[in-house]
Amino acid sequence: MMEFRLEALLTDIETLVRCESPSSDLDAVAHSAEVLADLGKALLGVEPERIVLDGRTHLRWRFGDGPARVLLLGHHDTVWPMGSLETHPFSVADGVLRGPGCFDMKAGVVMALHAAAALPRRAGLSILVTGDEELGSPSSRGLIEEEARGCEAAFVLEASADGGAIKTRRKGVSHYRIEVTGRAAHAGLEPEKGINAGIEIAHQVLAVAALADPERGTSVVPTVLSAGTTVNTVPAAAAAVEVDVRVWDEEEQLRVDRAVRALQPVLAGVQVRISGGINRPPLDAASSAALFGLARELSAEMGLPKLELVPL
């Protein structure tokens, strides 16, 4: 049991939370990596490997001479901008810990280090903490795949769902960008000479949003939009900068992908360009069912509350 580590655990979480690390700030992420490296070295007795990809700092600890069999995976970057500590200071009150990035996922990272430190033997264990997860892991995706390949188990140390329920499946993710090119004209003097890219992107947004299927858990959400330059000019260009797609099964992911790529212009003379695509396939619950069963057995043996799944 880890009760005796609680005070040290909270102290280390505070140290990491007080080191702000928004994904977009490379210097802040690099500084956070150094703070985390020091915490890890104090607990594990060894320095991590520092891996800098596209200016983003990731940390990796490997134990033993053979291949990794178990991976502990986390990230130390956050969505919180610099200065968030001023409005959301670190605190522990009434059994609740608060602070920028504590939930996602600095508490989980520190818990992973403490759990590894408590192991009598660490051979076969790998710990990877990335610095760009909140951006979609653009530089670390290959690193994660490489480290997980061949492992018998991989644990992602983000927070559980309500009541401590374990997440054993994840939706697949696709990202698209829709760009429209029309023709500019004076909106007051000769609007008929223009081709309004803003109107076209409105058609495209409605068309892509209609691909959602709530009954199957499929969401298709146009997010950041832009069009036009001045109040008296027919927009010559417009963009749905991001279309976010989440699906539970591969068939749905492929259906939406085909439909997005088949989008056609509505207005004559407009050009529509589609980029992006499938980012990550769905994680089916069956892939981790055996591991969850083992975790539930061990939890019961230790006298802990019954381990539950996030409702499927």
Side-chain angles (χ1 to χ4, degrees), residues 112-253:
L113 296 177
H114 277 258
L119 293 174
R121 294 180 301 277
R122 299 183 199 130
L125 176 66
S126 177
I127 304 172
L128 177 62
V129 186
T130 65
D132 63 354
E133 191 273 348
E134 297 294 359
L135 301 175
S137 305
S139 73
S140 63
R141 178 171 179 168
L143 184 64
I144 294 168
E145 292 173 346
E146 172 194 346
E147 204 64 22
R149 191 172 291 114
C151 286
E152 298 173 25
F155 298 94
V156 180
L157 276 299
E158 287 206 0
S160 65
D162 291 348
I166 302 298
K167 302 169 185 175
T168 59
R169 71 170 185 164
R170 301 290 289 184
K171 284 187 174 184
V173 179
S174 302
H175 293 143
Y176 299 93
R177 180 183 177 93
I178 303 172
E179 297 176 280
V180 171
T181 301
R183 183 168 63 237
H186 195 287
L189 299 178
E190 46 187 14
E192 71 282 355
K193 293 186 177 181
I195 304 175
N196 197 316
I199 293 176
E200 179 64 39
I201 200 67
H203 284 296
Q204 297 298 328
V205 165
L206 292 173
V208 78
L211 298 174
D213 187 344
E215 291 187 1
R216 294 190 67 169
T218 301
S219 61
V220 182
V221 183
T223 53
V224 183
L225 309 175
S226 65
T229 54
T230 67
V231 296
N232 61 353
T233 304
V234 174
V241 176
E242 189 78 20
V243 178
D244 184 285
V245 179
R246 308 291 173 113
V247 299
W248 280 122
D249 62 84
E250 186 176 3
E251 180 182 339
E252 271 291 89
Q253 195 167 38

Side-chain angles (χ1 to χ4, degrees), residues 5-21 30-50 59-61 63 75-76 90 101-102 105-118 122 127 129:
R5 287 183 175 268
L6 181 58
E7 183 176 349
L9 187 74
L10 293 176
T11 297
D12 288 345
I13 293 173
E14 179 177 5
T15 298
L16 196 57
V17 169
R18 288 188 182 278
C19 179
E20 295 180 290
S21 54
H31 179 56
S32 171
E34 290 307 310
V35 170
L36 181 59
D38 289 342
L39 290 177
K41 181 181 179 182
L43 288 165
L44 304 171
V46 292
E47 288 272 1
E49 180 183 0
R50 292 162 175 81
L59 300 178
R60 179 170 61 192
W61 285 267
F63 299 95
H75 67 91
H76 65 100
F90 178 88
C102 65
M105 64 172 293
K106 293 188 175 184
V109 169
V110 173
M111 291 170 79
L113 296 177
H114 277 258
R122 299 183 199 130
I127 304 172
V129 186

Side-chain angles (χ1 to χ4, degrees), residues 80-101:
W80 295 83
M82 294 297 289
S84 293
L85 278 169
E86 296 178 11
T87 55
H88 296 74
F90 178 88
S91 66
V92 180
D94 300 323
V96 178
L97 186 150
R98 295 181 174 87

